Amino acid sequence: MTTESTNDLAREWALEGAENGAVVVAEEQTVGRGRFGRTWVAPGGTGLLFSVIYRHALPRERVLRYTMVGAVSVRAAIATIPGINADDVTLKWANDVHLDGRKVCGILPEAIWEGNALQAVIIGIGINVRVNFAGTDLADKATSIEQHTTHNVDRAQLLANVLETLDVWAARANELSLFLTWRSALSTLGQRVTAVSVSSPGRITMGRAVDVDDDGALLIRDDKGRVHRVISGEVTLQTDSST
Ligand code: BTN
């Protein structure tokens, strides 16, 4: 199936009453969306593109927990693919799964609120299975699973594996074990970073990523020793990681 964006279709389904755990999968998207208004491009048959609707009640400040749900589930599924070295599958705060240091999966969680009540969360997931980034701007930043294994990846099987884990973690989204599993896989911690905040547009924080808190925020210590809490944003590693 081709659709504009599985997240948009999942939102329509959610507003029409789709049940907890409903999944929208597409072979190709014509307007695939990434974070920060970017596009997400994967030619037909090269990616795994899907969105899952969850309807567990969580307070507003806990909604980033669904980013953790998506990230740990995708990581677990990729780590068990034959030929993949599990230690090479890491998480980059806030929403990315990396394989051998390059982005292999992006996650786009979107919430539907009615006042302060969470009606549904849509977890949109794009996994690069055999997207060819050679010669593109993303060549040194993005990768595909089949670049790291001689085995063909069965996308249906990979989808089934992610969904199985996703359902388990989504039902435990408020538990400490989810946070600890997520934190232990974060390659961002200990690195010098520049964080661009989304909640306060234009605010840039530079320093060392020292920890995350259990709502999913990144804690950055600047060179004056002050700790800044970044709730939602994008981090880039600073080239000088020696200080
Ligand atoms: C990001 O890294 O910026 C997030 C990318 C999320 C892409 C997926 S593909 C399936 C789902 N539908 C979309 O339009 N986006 C997400």
Side-chain angles (χ1 to χ4, degrees), residues 37-190:
R38 294 181 187 140
T39 54
W40 183 265
V41 179
T46 65
L48 180 54
L49 312 167
F50 63 103
S51 302
V52 188
I53 299 166
Y54 285 114
R55 291 193 184 272
H56 306 287
L58 271 188
R60 201 174 269 276
E61 66 277 9
R62 289 251 129 171
V63 85
L64 281 182
R65 288 237 159 195
Y66 282 104
T67 299
M68 302 181 197
V69 167
V72 299
S73 304
V74 170
R75 176 174 183 261
I78 293 178
T80 56
I81 292 173
I84 295 293
N85 180 357
D87 291 339
D88 288 345
V89 193
T90 56
L91 304 181
K92 180 185 169 220
W93 188 89
N95 292 38
D96 299 344
V97 182
H98 276 204
L99 183 50
D100 202 13
R102 284 184 288 158
K103 179 164 172 172
V104 71
C105 164
I107 299 169
L108 184 65
E110 295 181 321
I112 301 175
W113 296 95
E114 215 171 84
N116 267 337
L118 184 60
Q119 291 306 304
V121 167
I122 292 152
I123 307 182
I125 296 180
I127 303 177
N128 303 325
V129 174
R130 56 186 72 98
V131 184
N132 183 0
F133 293 103
T136 73
D137 292 352
L138 296 174
D140 60 339
K141 297 190 192 90
T143 192
S144 286
I145 299 172
E146 287 189 352
Q147 271 184 259
H148 302 262
T149 174
T150 53
H151 297 261
N152 271 356
V153 175
D154 179 337
R155 287 180 302 144
Q157 186 60 57
L158 179 60
L159 174 64
N161 292 349
V162 177
L163 289 177
E164 200 177 346
T165 318
L166 208 57
D167 280 352
V168 172
W169 281 122
R172 301 172 63 183
N174 218 2
E175 291 186 13
L176 179 64
S177 57
L178 170 65
F179 169 67
L180 295 176
T181 304
W182 177 71
R183 183 169 68 172
S184 68
L186 277 174
S187 60
T188 314
L189 297 184

